[in-house]
Amino acid sequence: MDYNYHTHTYRCGHANGSDEEYILRAIDGGIKHMGFSDHAPFMFPDGYEIDCHMQMADAKGYFESINALRKKYADKIDIAIGFEMEYMPSHFDKMLENVKNIGAEYLILGQHYIADGYPDAIGSGSIKESEERFFTYVDSVCSGIESGVFSYLAHPDMAKFTGSDEIYRAGMKRICQCSLENNIPVEINFLGIRDGRFYPNPRFWEIAKEVGCPVTFGLDAHTPKDAYDGDSLKVAEWFVRKYKLNYIGKPDIISIQ
Ligand SMILES: [Zn+2]
Ligand SMILES: [Zn+2]
């Protein structure tokens, strides 16, 4: 694995280390193509900013720091600067305009909330048995994929739906088909592996296998040592073999500039 487009920084408030430490660790692990994708800043119309995302006031420093480092290490590693962002239906046009204006080169889709994320924030991890919430997640993700601006879908299986298999299959099949039709890969998320979370969820990857949608890997580093992760890589490769996934390797990065 010589690529990783899922890297956070301390600016989101729940990651640590310096930007340079992430880069040094990635170079050490043999990463040649790296992307910073911190949680995208956005100011809602009433001035509110989600506190587990980067704040607008820190965006300038993010680009300055990583731009300087990419020059410094240009002979060792390719670095792209972007964001991980939700598809929030009521705000999406403004969110996109905002990240383009502040200089983002690419985006990955990380749907941590089922819809608008504010003021009625419902986490994708707390869908529970609600079919309505689950399908809201599915709709948001599919709209995000269809927008054509996201290079891939991070942790597609982050939706924690505890209802029937039949409903889960129907929703996730739509996401996998959307991924296949738009040629936007879904990610096996290494943070989920590392932390023993409920994703990667076998229930999801069984469906991805049937649909044959493109699959990529993402380290989701929130601390420098995770900017390479050989142990989780073995598990991710096991998923690819076990479910005979359509693993494409490095994703094609869609430029939004
Ligand atoms: Zn995070
Ligand atoms: Zn995420």
Side-chain angles (χ1 to χ4, degrees):
M1 181 181 184
D2 67 351
Y3 68 91
N4 171 44
Y5 288 95
H6 199 163
T7 315
H8 293 276
T9 77
Y10 67 88
R11 296 170 190 82
C12 65
H14 59 274
N16 57 56
S18 71
D19 301 338
E20 189 160 20
E21 286 173 309
Y22 283 85
I23 295 169
L24 291 172
R25 170 69 177 167
I27 292 171
D28 233 33
I31 300 287
K32 299 271 182 252
H33 310 278
M34 178 181 197
F36 279 89
S37 55
D38 211 352
H39 298 281
F42 180 65
M43 196 175 278
F44 287 88
D46 64 358
Y48 175 79
E49 297 189 59
I50 295 177
D51 57 11
C52 57
H53 282 207
M54 181 187 295
Q55 304 296 290
M56 275 305 290
D58 295 323
K60 192 162 171 270
Y62 175 64
F63 286 94
E64 280 173 2
S65 163
I66 295 163
N67 261 317
L69 290 164
R70 87 163 136 196
K71 284 189 191 113
K72 182 170 174 185
Y73 294 103
D75 59 332
K76 296 195 170 64
I77 191 166
D78 251 3
I79 298 176
I81 316 175
F83 290 112
E84 176 180 20
M85 192 167 89
E86 280 83 2
Y87 182 89
M88 295 181 177
S90 316
H91 306 289
F92 187 66
D93 294 345
K94 286 220 166 75
M95 291 169 81
L96 182 60
E97 190 188 316
N98 178 54
V99 291
K100 279 184 181 179
N101 283 344
I102 58 182
E105 297 163 350
Y106 79 102
L107 296 171
I108 60 175
L109 176 58
Q111 196 68 27
H112 306 91
Y113 302 96
I114 63 168
D116 283 342
Y118 175 75
D120 306 308
I122 297 169
S124 302
S126 11
I127 291 171
K128 299 183 185 145
E129 71 286 349
S130 165
E131 290 179 21
E132 192 195 331
R133 287 180 178 184
F134 176 58
F135 282 110
T136 303
Y137 171 87
V138 172
D139 288 344
S140 303
V141 166
C142 289
S143 300
I145 291 174
E146 285 161 1
S147 73
V149 298
F150 292 102
S151 295
Y152 76 68
L153 169 62
H155 39 59
D157 42 352
M158 136 173 287
K160 198 170 189 179
F161 175 64
T162 52
S164 79
D165 258 356
E166 200 187 332
I167 298 291
Y168 186 82
R169 286 184 62 83
M172 289 310 196
K173 203 167 172 184
R174 262 186 59 206
I175 289 181
C176 291
Q177 274 164 344
C178 217
S179 150
L180 179 69
E181 281 160 19
N182 293 275
N183 196 27
I184 300 295
V186 294
E187 174 206 69
I188 294 183
N189 184 269
F190 285 30
L191 175 58
I193 296 173
R194 212 182 285 135
D195 269 16
R197 296 185 176 183
F198 64 91
Y199 55 88
N201 184 342
R203 202 151 77 130
F204 175 86
W205 297 101
E206 186 66 48
I207 300 162
K209 165 188 167 180
E210 287 168 25
V211 174
C213 55
V215 175
T216 189
F217 292 163
L219 289 166
D220 202 353
H222 284 77
T223 193
K225 82 166 173 33
D226 298 336
Y228 185 74
D229 182 353
D231 292 338
S232 299
L233 175 60
K234 286 188 197 120
V235 178
E237 287 172 339
W238 176 86
F239 268 90
V240 168
R241 284 195 305 275
K242 157 111 178 152
Y243 295 100
K244 299 187 177 63
L245 298 174
N246 175 19
Y247 175 65
I248 60 155
K250 176 183 170 303
D252 286 335
I253 293 302
I254 298 169
S255 166
I256 61 163
Q257 286 293 335

